[in-house]
Amino acid sequence: LADPAFVGTYGINYGRIADNIPSPDEVVTLLRSAKIRNVRIYDADHSVLTAFSGTGFKLVIGLPNGFLKDMSSNASNAMSWVKDNVQKFMPGICGVAIGNEVLGGSDVELYGALLGAAKNIHSALNQLGLSDAVQVSTAHSQAVFSNSYPPSSCVFAENIAQYMKPLLQFFWEAGSPFCLNAYPFLDYMNDPASIDINYALFQKTKGIFDPKTELHYDNMLDAQIDAAYAALEDAGFDKMEVIVTETGWASKGDGNEAAATPENARTYNFNLRKRLAKKKGTPRRPKNIVKAYIFAIFNENLKPGPTSERNFGLFKPDGSISYDVGYKGLKSSSADSVVMSLKVNMYFPFNLFASHYFPYRQYLELLVLNAVFAHLH
C-alpha cells in the first residue's frame, strides 16, 4: 500500500490454502533471504502475526469476506476485531484489506456491506490511535470494469458504479489507494488468438497504441493499470493512486491452459521484477511509481478451481525455488545448482553458458537485478 505502508516497489502475497507449506517462522526466514519486506495475507491468523511481529516486515492483513456483514452492522465487533488482530500485534501491521474482490464477485449481498465494514474498521483504528499507521483498503478484480480496451476507454461497470463511488469517496478521504488485482495471464488465457503472449510477458513486441491518448503500451500490466486510472478519472477521482495487490503467472494448468508453464511463469515474474526495479510509472501516470504484490509465495494445493489456481507459487512446499527469478530458497534446488555451476565456470568460454534452461545473459541480469534490489531495500 502507499508509503509508509509500502517499502520499495515489490511485495508478495502469502496465501495458505495448503497443507504442505513451511511454518510461518520459516516463511519469515525465506522472505528475509529474498529481501521482500511487503507481505499481504488474507486473514489475521495469530500464528502468522506472531511470527512476523517485530521482524520489520510491512504486513497487510485481511478481513475475510465472511466477516463483512457482521463488521458492517456491528461497530462493537469491529472494535473487538481490531483490538485482537491489529493493536495486539503493533507495530508491523501497516494495512487492513477489507474483503477481497467483493465488488464484481458472485455474492451480491456483500456489495452493500463492504463500505460499512471499511468505515467501522477505520473508525476503530482511529479511536485506538492507529489510523495514521494502519491503512484501510480493499482489492478489486478487473470484473469491476467495463470497456477496458484501449485503456483510455475504461469505466466502472454500470452495476458496480453505485457501490464503487461512495467507496472511493471514503477511501479518498482516508488517504487510501485503489487496489487492483491485475493478471495479464488471465486476459491472455481468455483471448489467446487476439493477444500477443510477448505483450503479456513483458517481452519485445509491437505493443498497442491508444488512439485517444496517443500513448503506446509495450506490456499488458501497464495497460491494465492505466485502464484503472481511466476509470478513476471518469468517476471523479483522478488523483487516487493505483497499486497492484496481486499479479502473477501460473506454472501449471489444465489442458485448456496451455500458457501455464514454468517457462512462462519464470519469464513473467523475472521481467516483472526488472520492470519494478526501474521505479517508473505508466504511460498515463509516469510520475506514479508502479508498486505490486506478486502472487504468490507458494503453490496452494487445497485451492478449488482449475489446476492453474494451485500453481502460482515462486517457491515449492519445501521452501526451494520453483524457478529462478533471483531468489534463494530455504533449501537448495536444481536451479541453485545451475547457478553454482555458472559461478564455478565463470572464466570458461561463453558457449558453456548457452543452456536452454539458464542462459548466461539471464544469469548476468539476475546478478544486476539482485544488486538493484539490495540497494532498494
Side-chain angles (χ1 to χ4, degrees), residues 343-363:
K343 289 179 178 178
V344 170
N345 292 288
M346 280 199 67
Y347 298 101
F348 282 12
F350 177 81
N351 62 0
L352 289 180
F353 299 101
S355 164
H356 171 72
Y357 298 101
F358 201 92
Y360 178 59
R361 176 183 174 185
Q362 292 180 341
Y363 169 63

Side-chain angles (χ1 to χ4, degrees), residues 57-71:
F57 285 88
K58 296 289 187 177
L59 190 65
V60 175
I61 65 174
L63 178 73
N65 292 0
F67 287 70
L68 295 183
K69 291 181 181 179
D70 179 50
M71 296 299 163

Side-chain angles (χ1 to χ4, degrees), residues 39-259:
V39 183
R40 181 171 174 256
I41 64 174
Y42 294 88
D43 54 20
D45 183 275
H46 282 201
S47 67
V48 176
L49 300 187
T50 299
F52 278 88
S53 181
T55 60
F57 285 88
K58 296 289 187 177
L59 190 65
V60 175
I61 65 174
L63 178 73
N65 292 0
F67 287 70
L68 295 183
K69 291 181 181 179
D70 179 50
M71 296 299 163
S72 178
S73 61
N74 194 319
S76 176
N77 286 355
M79 174 62 77
S80 296
W81 190 91
V82 170
K83 286 181 177 179
D84 290 343
N85 300 295
V86 181
Q87 186 182 45
K88 185 184 295 186
F89 295 96
M90 293 296 291
I93 295 177
C94 64
V96 177
I98 310 298
N100 186 51
E101 299 188 347
V102 175
L103 300 185
S106 58
D107 192 343
V108 179
E109 290 186 5
L110 295 183
Y111 289 18
L114 180 59
L115 178 57
K119 285 183 174 181
N120 281 344
I121 293 293
H122 184 265
S123 177
L125 290 168
N126 192 47
Q127 291 177 57
L128 295 172
L130 299 174
S131 58
D132 288 340
V134 182
Q135 198 170 64
V136 175
S137 67
T138 189
H140 303 285
S141 74
Q142 291 170 285
V144 300
F145 300 131
S146 178
N147 306 321
S148 59
Y149 180 85
S152 63
S153 68
C154 187
V155 296
F156 289 111
E158 187 175 347
N159 66 320
I160 298 297
Q162 62 178 313
Y163 301 99
M164 181 65 77
K165 288 188 178 181
L167 188 69
L168 292 175
Q169 184 63 43
F170 168 71
F171 282 136
W172 172 251
E173 293 170 359
S176 301
F178 183 86
C179 296
L180 176 67
N181 294 345
Y183 285 92
F185 169 74
L186 296 179
D187 275 9
Y188 175 78
M189 291 296 298
N190 287 334
D191 193 8
S194 302
I195 298 174
D196 179 3
I197 194 170
N198 292 316
Y199 177 62
L201 292 172
F202 300 97
Q203 299 283 67
K204 284 188 177 181
T205 175
K206 67 178 182 180
I208 68 164
F209 178 77
D210 190 322
K212 182 178 178 181
T213 58
E214 297 187 347
L215 294 174
H216 177 262
Y217 292 88
D218 60 12
N219 71 83
M220 186 183 291
L221 184 65
D222 279 6
Q224 291 176 334
I225 295 170
D226 275 359
Y229 277 123
L232 288 169
E233 287 181 25
D234 180 74
F237 296 91
D238 58 314
K239 302 298 183 183
M240 184 173 278
E241 182 184 16
V242 175
I243 290 184
V244 177
T245 37
E246 286 183 22
T247 188
W249 198 284
S251 60
K252 185 179 180 181
D254 293 319
N256 62 345
E257 298 177 306

Side-chain angles (χ1 to χ4, degrees), residues 9-62:
T9 60
Y10 196 91
I12 200 160
N13 287 277
Y14 178 14
R16 305 188 328 280
I17 306 177
D19 61 6
N20 60 354
I21 58 179
S23 69
D25 288 325
E26 290 176 300
V27 172
V28 170
T29 301
L30 176 65
L31 295 181
R32 274 179 171 159
S33 176
K35 296 184 174 62
I36 297 175
R37 291 183 60 191
N38 305 293
V39 183
R40 181 171 174 256
I41 64 174
Y42 294 88
D43 54 20
D45 183 275
H46 282 201
S47 67
V48 176
L49 300 187
T50 299
F52 278 88
S53 181
T55 60
F57 285 88
K58 296 289 187 177
L59 190 65
V60 175
I61 65 174

